[in-house]
Amino acid sequence: MRRLIRMIVLFVLGLVLLPYVLTPIYSAGHPISMLMIGRFLSGEPVARTWIDIDAIAPALPRSVVAAEDAKFCFHHGIDWDSVQDILEEAQDGEVSRGGSTITQQVAKNLFLWPGRSVVRKVLEFPLALWIDLILPKKRILELYLNVAELGPSGQFGAEAGANYAFGRSASALSAQEAALLASILPNPVTRSARTPGPGSGGWPEPMCSGRSRRKSPTAGGGIADFGPFWRIFRRPMV
């Protein structure tokens, strides 16, 4: 019995540690997400064509950072200010927004599972810190842009999302199209870049942090400071 318990503990420990081993390996290559694997196994359609970040129209990563994680260039995987805001809202009985950074979403997409879960969050926090420590920001953003769900029927990544919504490559997106595509995150099933609803997809919207008080330290009025972003974006990955 003790041997069985020991084997179970070692197996669970191995599962917990596996993402930490895989993270340095994912500094290269074209990894797929757990959700993609799940859809494969269940026979659901999956469409994903990898596209390097340098080939993507620059407006798209900029729009995604502005809409999803305006402090991406400054934090180390966790936006602690946002976490504090959410805890304060929870104490008041009203949590109207998520607090996941792009790095946390990469951790969830590559190694964990969707849906709200305290266990997942406990695993996600240290993993996001590890990913930020090991991988350059540019690679983290590249991974996110290739594993994020960007269509209602199994379209993953910027290339598949752009082809579904606009019939063109992510390399050829206009600023308006990039804004529309970014605006459907993190729920491309209920939001559509192909047939946007009222108030979605205008260029100014993704230029502002979609979550109140998630601002760049050097920004005013919620507008992200993209100087550091462009330095990261233009820097080669080594």
Side-chain angles (χ1 to χ4, degrees), residues 186-210:
N187 195 340
V189 176
T190 59
R191 304 175 187 176
S192 175
R194 177 187 275 184
T195 55
S200 65
W203 171 248
E205 178 70 19
M207 281 298 295
C208 300
S209 172

Side-chain angles (χ1 to χ4, degrees), residues 10-163:
L10 289 174
F11 177 74
V12 172
L13 184 61
L15 289 179
V16 171
L17 294 179
L18 182 60
Y20 294 87
V21 176
L22 290 176
T23 296
I25 298 173
Y26 284 174
S27 62
H30 304 161
I32 61 176
S33 70
M34 295 300 293
L35 184 56
M36 292 165 66
I37 293 172
R39 289 183 68 95
F40 274 127
L41 295 177
S42 63
E44 297 179 88
V46 174
R48 201 284 291 270
T49 301
W50 182 276
I51 181 170
D52 291 342
I53 194 169
D54 290 326
I56 298 174
L60 182 58
R62 186 184 182 196
S63 295
V64 167
V65 168
E68 287 292 288
D69 185 3
K71 292 173 69 174
F72 175 71
C73 303
F74 303 95
H75 63 63
H76 297 289
I78 306 293
D79 182 354
W80 295 110
D81 291 335
S82 181
V83 172
Q84 182 178 356
D85 290 343
I86 292 170
L87 291 175
E88 291 174 357
E89 289 178 4
Q91 290 177 348
D92 296 334
E94 295 183 4
V95 179
S96 59
R97 60 199 173 96
S100 294
T101 63
I102 285 175
T103 312
Q104 286 176 263
Q105 293 181 63
V106 167
K108 178 193 72 175
N109 289 337
L110 288 181
F111 303 119
L112 302 173
W113 59 90
R116 294 188 176 184
S117 165
V118 174
V119 174
R120 198 206 76 201
K121 279 295 182 183
V122 169
L123 295 172
E124 182 183 287
F125 267 56
L127 186 52
L129 295 171
W130 175 250
I131 290 171
D132 189 86
L133 177 67
I134 297 299
L135 301 180
K137 291 283 188 180
K138 186 176 179 180
R139 176 60 176 176
I140 294 171
L141 187 55
E142 181 175 63
L143 288 169
Y144 183 65
L145 290 169
N146 279 282
V147 299
E149 193 174 9
L150 282 167
S153 52
Q155 290 83 15
F156 290 86
E159 186 72 359
N163 273 293

